[in-house]
Amino acid sequence: MLNLAQRKPKFPVEEERLPWLSMLLDALWVIDRGVAASLPKHVAENPGQAVACHKGCHACCLDNDIPVTPLEAVGITWFVAEKAARVVKADVLTALQAFPHRANTEAGCPFVLNGNCLVYPVRPIACRNYIVFSVPCALGEDPTETRPGDVLRPIGSFARQAFRLMLPYYGFHQEQDLEQAVRDKYLFTVTGSMHRADWSRLKALVEASVRGS
Ligand code: SF4
């Protein structure tokens, strides 16, 4: 699924109330700009290749171990609880209720329903950076193994900049601490996965919202 926003999303009222929100939105925006900058480089190096990801294509969401950082998980919860339309909230509830019963819960994402990403505007960095060329992934295929030349390698400086923007959420504020945390890859030490993350608070919020409306 590939749909790069043309403008950085802004939520001025919420960003005033929730200081972490600007960090997250800025970081996600930098990642999207990194993908936009990396695509022509990949195509120049691999003439004739076109992006295979498209709306409704979701094999990667079903059977990968998808990384998510705590800040990204907080952002997903916020987005669904405060910004999503009622119909999306109801879909998220359906997806979360179904998730533990899916055949393979050793991997995958709880937010894919009927081939759609229910949290697309705030999907994690891992999802944003994962772009496959030529043909879409087959279910169970890991193109990084089967055809690594078909997988985008995003320009690394964008990810480093995005990680740096997120670090204040974890208590890093001073210049030298930020530099060190980027060098130490601090974010990797707190990264979990979409399928193992505890979404119970979000589930309770959408249950209350759907019931109350
Ligand atoms: S957050 Fe969205 S794009 Fe990412 S794995 Fe889940 S359903 Fe797929």
Side-chain angles (χ1 to χ4, degrees), residues 103-121:
N104 176 12
T105 48
E106 292 305 305
C109 177
F111 298 103
V112 60
L113 186 70
N114 301 326
N116 292 315
C117 172
L118 299 172
V119 295
Y120 196 81

Side-chain angles (χ1 to χ4, degrees), residues 62 89-116 118 194-195 199 203 206-207:
L62 287 180
K89 286 189 174 77
D91 281 349
V92 167
L93 184 56
T94 301
L96 287 174
Q97 285 170 337
F99 188 66
H101 308 297
R102 278 212 322 235
N104 176 12
T105 48
E106 292 305 305
C109 177
F111 298 103
V112 60
L113 186 70
N114 301 326
N116 292 315
L118 299 172
M194 291 295 271
H195 75 280
W199 299 109
K203 194 172 165 199
V206 287
E207 255 166 358

